Amino acid sequence: MSIISNAQKEQQEKAVTQYDVVIVGAGPYGLSIAAHLLDKGLNVAIFGKPLELWREHMPRGMNLRSHWWATNLSDPKQHYTFKRFLKLKGYSQEHPTPIEHFIEYATWFQQNVVPNVDETYVASIERNNGLYTVNLEDGRVVRTPSVVMAIGVYYFANKPTEYDVLPPELVSHSFEYANFERFKGKHILIVGAGQSGVENAALAYEEGVEVSLLARRPILWLAPDRTDERTLKQKIQAPNAGIAPGWANWALEAFPYLFYRLSQPAKDKYLRTHYNAAASDWLFDRTKDKVHIYEQRTVTQLEPKDGGCDVTLSDGENLHVDHIMLATGYVVNVKKMTMLAPALLEQLRADNGIPQLNPWFETNMPGLYFVGLSSIRGFGPLYRFVVGAKAAAPRVASAIARRAERLK
Ligand SMILES: Cc1cc2nc3c(=O)[nH]c(=O)nc-3n(C[C@H](O)[C@H](O)[C@H](O)COP(=O)(O)OP(=O)(O)OC[C@H]3O[C@@H](n4cnc5c(N)ncnc54)[C@H](O)[C@@H]3O)c2cc1C
């Protein structure tokens, strides 16, 4: 029997493991990319909590805005589809799809296709001599030539600066909630009337919360979109597509790398003008005459008072609420990703805080890839949604496999 000292033990525990590729994030994109890489026989490490965004940062009882047929994770043989899962479980192919069905589906995908997810968080990533050193929160260290950042909306919650005057107990972001229990019997103001703001308003009201909803513009209600009920004429005018019906959305999905070829100003204009915040039609009756809706107004003054907050709106109306929930979306900024070492951040080419990517989703740092939300300025709106995983996953996986081959 050999005896080792504490120092040696610590050293052993910190032993560096090497992988062909490390994936940071185990959401739909991270899992899909892992599936394609494993199929290519690569030595893959994937870190993060499977479906954490969907389990911990979306409200229970939520329905998906996307159709079930547009919410597939991607495996190379397309064996683990949502359709097959629904059939196996005897669930109906309904729209809207309950979030619980999607979580169950994606967990089934993960357990069958990517069973080796390591739930440890990544603490920091640095680059030395062409290799990335990935330090895990539990002290382990991993080395790899390729890293895929699949961290979704994490780190990017958008909090408009006018709310900085309030302490955290009076203002929070919708990212922080999986239910609204803490507000039962209280009055909250939800700021932002996109899908998340309006759905949170409906769910919070149904959980016994008094809800006011503030929208800068009139709420944009999406037209009903039941695939089975659409007539042939409607389908010709606006074909079914994963993002929403329409020829442009159809083209983005059918030719998923075409958007990349547009000039950056054209891409920026498209993203700015085509995707205004909107809410599904099935939320209309769940909020009408139930939620106090303030459209075409903004907040002009905020003052903490009596444990809550006095709010003055741009038309002069005053409200007193117990809490403000910002459903103001997500803005990518690599500087918020504190896990990237300062030296790496300094060298990473970004424009307006968004990493610049080559046609393989790779940054100017060889072997460092960004997918999902961080990639939409380059690759288009498809990649904001799960539906984009079927195009991103094979593309990123083949680039990494080629790189691994070259480095042999
Ligand atoms: C409220 C809401 C509703 C939505 N509804 C839909 C919908 O109906 N349909 C649709 O297609 N899309 C929807 N989306 C968009 C959705 O975010 C994406 O489609 C999808 O989740 C993106 O997947 P992802 O893998 O990029 O990231 P995410 O699903 O966000 O996963 C991020 C992963 O990163 C991990 N992670 C974070 N930090 C670290 C770290 N330091 N170390 C290791 N791992 C880390 C997390 O644990 C998690 O596993 C919705 C988004 C929101 C916010």
Side-chain angles (χ1 to χ4, degrees):
M1 186 176 73
S2 67
I3 297 172
I4 56 169
S5 69
N6 279 346
Q8 280 171 316
K9 190 160 175 266
E10 213 168 281
Q11 193 60 36
Q12 268 187 7
E13 278 167 3
K14 281 211 166 179
V16 175
T17 322
Q18 178 122 2
Y19 287 94
D20 292 328
V21 48
V22 164
I23 300 171
V24 186
Y29 278 82
L31 292 171
S32 299
I33 292 168
H36 285 258
L37 287 164
L38 288 167
D39 188 62
K40 290 182 185 297
L42 267 70
N43 189 12
V44 181
I46 170 166
F47 298 106
K49 304 202 176 6
L51 285 311
E52 189 185 16
L53 175 75
W54 299 80
R55 290 180 207 278
E56 310 285 339
H57 302 286
M58 293 191 195
R60 293 284 71 79
M62 189 189 103
N63 286 320
L64 266 56
R65 179 174 149 186
S66 57
H67 284 272
W68 61 266
W69 48 261
T71 322
N72 287 298
L73 277 67
S74 171
D75 64 300
K77 296 187 182 67
Q78 294 182 26
H79 195 55
Y80 291 90
T81 60
F82 210 160
K83 185 175 185 169
R84 189 168 153 236
F85 171 80
L86 291 172
K87 208 165 167 195
L88 277 175
K89 282 286 183 178
Y91 294 157
S92 65
Q93 298 178 351
E94 60 190 319
H95 181 69
T97 303
I99 188 175
E100 288 72 19
H101 286 186
F102 175 70
I103 293 174
E104 226 186 300
Y105 156 62
T107 305
W108 171 75
F109 178 102
Q110 182 259 309
Q111 288 168 349
N112 283 285
V113 187
V114 193
N116 62 334
V117 175
D118 185 326
E119 298 203 10
T120 318
Y121 256 43
V122 169
S124 67
I125 303 174
E126 45 201 282
R127 185 166 189 265
N128 315 297
N129 306 322
L131 278 186
Y132 294 92
T133 304
V134 179
N135 300 294
L136 301 175
E137 281 196 341
D138 61 7
R140 282 177 294 150
V141 179
V142 167
R143 252 184 221 129
T144 178
S146 296
V147 173
V148 181
M149 300 300 294
I151 37 105
V153 301
Y154 280 70
Y155 313 97
F156 302 136
N158 175 41
K159 293 188 181 171
T161 47
E162 59 262 37
Y163 296 91
D164 289 351
V165 296
L166 298 178
E169 56 277 18
L170 293 183
V171 64
S172 55
H173 192 276
S174 54
F175 179 75
E176 293 167 41
Y177 297 94
N179 63 63
F180 305 109
E181 236 161 68
R182 74 176 258 213
F183 299 125
K184 210 175 178 147
K186 298 199 167 155
H187 182 188
I188 62 169
L189 173 68
I190 297 183
V191 179
Q195 180 76 6
S196 168
V198 179
E199 191 158 21
N200 284 358
L203 288 164
Y205 170 81
E206 288 156 8
E207 278 190 45
V209 182
E210 182 182 353
V211 183
S212 293
L213 179 66
L214 183 67
R216 264 184 304 180
R217 303 191 188 93
I219 297 177
L220 192 61
W221 294 99
L222 294 167
D225 173 23
R226 319 267 179 281
T227 316
D228 304 343
E229 294 170 15
R230 302 186 70 225
T231 61
L232 183 62
K233 189 174 166 205
Q234 283 173 325
K235 285 184 190 165
I236 290 170
Q237 283 169 342
N240 291 332
I243 300 177
W247 280 107
N249 288 334
W250 178 87
L252 286 168
E253 197 174 332
F255 307 102
Y257 316 120
L258 204 59
F259 185 91
Y260 183 84
R261 291 167 177 261
L262 303 177
S263 70
Q264 195 56 58
K267 293 190 226 185
D268 288 346
K269 187 170 173 209
Y270 188 86
L271 290 167
R272 212 174 39 245
T273 52
H274 281 70
Y275 298 96
N276 288 325
S280 295
D281 65 299
W282 39 265
L283 290 166
F284 186 80
D285 287 343
R286 288 172 59 192
T287 48
K288 189 173 182 282
D289 300 329
K290 294 169 179 152
V291 168
H292 316 289
I293 297 180
Y294 300 90
E295 289 171 284
Q296 291 180 281
R297 274 166 273 189
T298 53
V299 159
T300 53
Q301 207 179 331
L302 297 162
E303 204 180 325
K305 190 126 181 237
D306 302 333
C309 183
D310 279 351
V311 181
T312 309
L313 302 183
S314 46
D315 62 350
E317 187 156 352
N318 292 302
L319 317 174
H320 180 82
V321 297
D322 295 297
H323 192 86
I324 296 178
M325 182 190 294
L326 302 171
T328 41
Y330 299 86
V331 176
V332 174
N333 188 341
V334 284
K335 292 207 174 99
K336 289 190 184 170
M337 297 179 55
T338 43
M339 76 174 84
L340 297 180
L344 181 55
L345 257 184
E346 214 166 275
Q347 293 175 64
L348 185 65
R349 201 173 298 140
D351 181 17
N352 276 330
I354 301 170
Q356 289 185 330
L357 303 175
N358 74 10
W360 305 97
F361 293 84
E362 189 181 20
T363 64
N364 64 312
M365 304 306 296
L368 181 62
Y369 301 78
F370 277 81
V371 292
L373 187 70
S374 307
S375 70
I376 66 171
R377 189 157 178 245
F379 284 85
L382 187 72
Y383 300 91
R384 182 188 285 275
F385 302 99
V386 177
V387 68
K390 73 175 175 214
R395 194 153 179 102
V396 173
S398 53
I400 291 172
R402 279 197 303 274
R403 187 173 157 73
E405 196 58 38
R406 270 201 315 273
L407 294 173
K408 259 187 191 163

